[in-house]
């Protein structure tokens, strides 16, 4: 399974970066190949200063070795070995009318001292972070997520949508990071779902990403914007940074397993503001967004 999924994310990275370069029309992805001393490595691809994308990355990694002590405590296990691979992407568009997007699809195995697999699971999802709310975009993004889920089980979309709303929640701000999407973790073999079934589901979601995001970019990149709109975008990007550094488990895992720091922090936007006690104008589009982010929404 680990080889099958690793080959999948290699191909998916090629597919996504090729389409995003075509969409941007100016910038190209810079590729870095890196190794991890304890075992494994990755292929980082970053795009910057494009016509559409101010900064973004589409990264894959496959790391293995002894599970670090901090992660042993997190998983509640003793000395074990692990293998983890995944594709993680974040795209920060230049225009505040185009939403930031994040996606991740990953696979994990844990072994005893004899190399026997103790546990294995899939995780991942995709979520949207707009700076200005266009309801048709939110509906479109969730419709594609639901379509991918419904091909496997009718309960998957409501369950993983709810988990996404709960996970991407800035508890110290009491607000959502964005308008959500899907989030799932620890998808393990059950009486009704084999690991091959989970592979089919996770790759279905991965294959849906471009369909979910690209039409939104094509619509909103044509919108005009002002310096004030850009300032609001940079203030909201600050909340994105706060979530990634305070709450995100993927960031924690990368740091605790001696991952490549440049690849881990690729998710951070290039220009951010923290304005003291900032409140948008009453009745403005900015305030409307905050009201939506205060309570998880049913977009479908």
């Amino acid at each position: 399974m680990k080889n099958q999924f690793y080959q999948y994310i290699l191909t998916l990275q090629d597919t996504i970066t090729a389409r995003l370069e075509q969409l941007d029309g100016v910038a190209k992805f810079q590729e870095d190949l890196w190794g991890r001393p304890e075992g494994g490595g990755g292929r980082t691809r970053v795009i910057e200063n494009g016509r559409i994308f101010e900064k973004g990355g589409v990264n894959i990694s496959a790391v293995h070795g002894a599970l670090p002590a901090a992660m042993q405590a997190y998983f509640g296990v003793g000395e074990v070995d692990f293998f983890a691979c995944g594709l993680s992407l974040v795209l920060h568009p230049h225009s505040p009318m185009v939403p930031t997007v994040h996606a991740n699809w990953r696979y994990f195995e844990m072994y005893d001292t004899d190399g026997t697999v103790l546990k294995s699971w899939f995780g991942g999802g995709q979520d949207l972070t707009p700076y200005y709310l266009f309801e048709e975009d939110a509906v479109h993004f969730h419709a594609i997520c639901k379509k991918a889920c419904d091909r496997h089980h009718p309960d998957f979309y409501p369950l993983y949508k709810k988990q996404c709303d709960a996970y991407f929640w800035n508890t110290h701000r009491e607000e959502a990071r964005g308008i959500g999407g899907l989030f799932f973790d620890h998808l393990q073999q059950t009486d009704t779902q084999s690991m091959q079934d989970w592979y089919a589901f996770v790759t279905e979601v991965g294959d849906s990403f471009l369909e979910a995001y690209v039409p939104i970019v094509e619509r909103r990149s044509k919108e005009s914007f002002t310096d004030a709109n850009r300032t609001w975008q940079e203030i909201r990007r600050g909340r994105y940074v706060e979530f990634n550094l305070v709450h995100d488990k993927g960031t924690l895992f990368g740091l605790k397993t001696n991952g490549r720091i440049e690849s881990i922090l690729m998710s951070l936007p290039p220009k951010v503001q923290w304005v003291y006690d900032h409140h948008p104008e009453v009745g403005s589009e900015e305030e409307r967004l905050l009201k939506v982010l205060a309570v998880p929404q049913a977009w479908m």
Side-chain angles (χ1 to χ4, degrees), residues 150-224:
D150 286 351
R151 288 174 175 166
H152 296 269
H153 198 287
D155 292 342
F156 282 0
Y157 172 73
L159 173 61
Y160 299 139
K161 189 267 186 191
K162 183 178 180 180
Q163 289 182 182
C164 188
D165 290 336
Y167 182 79
F168 293 104
W169 183 261
N170 257 333
T171 53
H172 63 287
R173 295 284 192 180
E174 281 300 305
E175 67 181 22
R177 188 176 79 172
I179 56 95
L182 300 173
F183 179 84
F184 40 83
D185 205 2
H186 296 283
L187 302 182
Q188 302 179 60
Q189 183 169 327
T190 67
D191 292 340
T192 57
Q193 287 284 125
S194 69
M195 291 307 290
Q196 195 64 44
D197 291 333
W198 286 128
Y199 172 86
F201 166 65
V202 173
T203 56
E204 179 99 48
V205 176
D207 291 342
S208 76
F209 170 75
L210 289 173
E211 184 183 0
Y213 186 56
V214 168
I216 296 172
V217 177
E218 290 176 328
R219 275 198 298 269
R220 299 307 158 203
S221 60
K222 300 172 184 176
E223 303 270 350
S224 60

Side-chain angles (χ1 to χ4, degrees), residues 12 16 57-59 86-91 100-106 123-129 141 145 168 177 182-184 205-210 212-213 240 266-267:
L12 184 62
I16 290 175
V58 182
N59 301 342
L87 185 155
S88 182
L89 69 83
V90 177
L91 298 167
T100 285
V101 71
H102 160 260
N104 174 268
W105 308 282
R106 57 191 181 274
Q126 52 201 36
D127 62 283
L128 201 66
T129 302
F141 190 83
C145 290
F168 293 104
R177 188 176 79 172
L182 300 173
F183 179 84
F184 40 83
V205 176
D207 291 342
S208 76
F209 170 75
L210 289 173
Y213 186 56
Y240 197 95
M266 169 278 302
S267 64

Side-chain angles (χ1 to χ4, degrees), residues 78-98:
E79 292 186 1
V80 297
D81 288 340
F82 80 99
F83 169 87
C85 71
L87 185 155
S88 182
L89 69 83
V90 177
L91 298 167
H92 293 291
H94 176 70
S95 169
M97 301 301 161
V98 182

Side-chain angles (χ1 to χ4, degrees), residues 219-236:
R219 275 198 298 269
R220 299 307 158 203
S221 60
K222 300 172 184 176
E223 303 270 350
S224 60
F225 59 89
T226 65
D227 289 343
N229 299 144
R230 179 75 172 167
T231 295
W232 172 247
Q233 177 196 45
E234 292 176 0
I235 292 171
R236 292 304 306 171

Side-chain angles (χ1 to χ4, degrees), residues 5-279:
F5 189 69
Y6 182 61
Q7 289 303 313
Y8 167 75
I9 60 175
L10 282 171
T11 301
L12 184 62
Q13 185 190 38
D14 289 341
T15 301
I16 290 175
T17 55
R19 182 67 181 95
L20 295 178
E21 285 184 349
Q22 180 188 47
L23 185 63
D24 188 274
V26 173
K28 300 293 183 181
F29 280 89
Q30 169 190 331
E31 179 175 281
D32 284 332
L33 302 178
W34 55 273
R36 176 177 173 270
E38 297 88 342
R43 188 168 74 182
T44 294
R45 290 180 180 173
V46 172
I47 191 169
E48 293 181 294
N49 303 317
R51 181 180 67 89
I52 290 176
F53 300 113
E54 186 173 13
K55 181 186 176 187
V58 182
N59 301 342
I60 58 171
S61 63
V63 297
H64 57 85
L67 191 67
M71 298 310 295
Q72 291 176 27
Y74 177 78
F75 287 124
V77 297
E79 292 186 1
V80 297
D81 288 340
F82 80 99
F83 169 87
C85 71
L87 185 155
S88 182
L89 69 83
V90 177
L91 298 167
H92 293 291
H94 176 70
S95 169
M97 301 301 161
V98 182
T100 285
V101 71
H102 160 260
N104 174 268
W105 308 282
R106 57 191 181 274
Y107 177 71
F108 188 92
E109 288 184 351
M110 195 181 298
Y111 314 96
D112 65 14
T113 54
D114 297 326
T116 302
V117 177
L118 296 172
K119 290 183 178 180
S120 62
W121 65 82
F122 285 102
Q126 52 201 36
D127 62 283
L128 201 66
T129 302
Y131 304 100
Y132 287 89
L133 182 64
F134 296 92
E135 291 189 7
E136 66 174 305
D137 296 347
V139 170
H140 168 81
F141 190 83
H142 279 267
I144 300 304
C145 290
K146 184 177 186 299
K147 182 172 70 171
C149 288
D150 286 351
R151 288 174 175 166
H152 296 269
H153 198 287
D155 292 342
F156 282 0
Y157 172 73
L159 173 61
Y160 299 139
K161 189 267 186 191
K162 183 178 180 180
Q163 289 182 182
C164 188
D165 290 336
Y167 182 79
F168 293 104
W169 183 261
N170 257 333
T171 53
H172 63 287
R173 295 284 192 180
E174 281 300 305
E175 67 181 22
R177 188 176 79 172
I179 56 95
L182 300 173
F183 179 84
F184 40 83
D185 205 2
H186 296 283
L187 302 182
Q188 302 179 60
Q189 183 169 327
T190 67
D191 292 340
T192 57
Q193 287 284 125
S194 69
M195 291 307 290
Q196 195 64 44
D197 291 333
W198 286 128
Y199 172 86
F201 166 65
V202 173
T203 56
E204 179 99 48
V205 176
D207 291 342
S208 76
F209 170 75
L210 289 173
E211 184 183 0
Y213 186 56
V214 168
I216 296 172
V217 177
E218 290 176 328
R219 275 198 298 269
R220 299 307 158 203
S221 60
K222 300 172 184 176
E223 303 270 350
S224 60
F225 59 89
T226 65
D227 289 343
N229 299 144
R230 179 75 172 167
T231 295
W232 172 247
Q233 177 196 45
E234 292 176 0
I235 292 171
R236 292 304 306 171
R237 281 176 169 179
R239 306 296 174 91
Y240 197 95
V241 171
E242 289 174 20
F243 179 87
N244 279 26
L245 296 184
V246 175
H247 302 298
D248 187 65
K249 294 178 182 177
T251 302
L252 173 66
F253 180 81
L255 296 175
K256 295 294 185 183
T257 56
N258 194 28
R260 183 173 183 262
I261 191 67
E262 287 299 319
S263 298
I264 296 167
L265 299 184
M266 169 278 302
S267 64
L268 303 184
K271 296 179 181 178
V272 188
Q273 291 190 43
W274 280 274
V275 177
Y276 179 75
D277 199 26
H278 180 271
H279 296 280

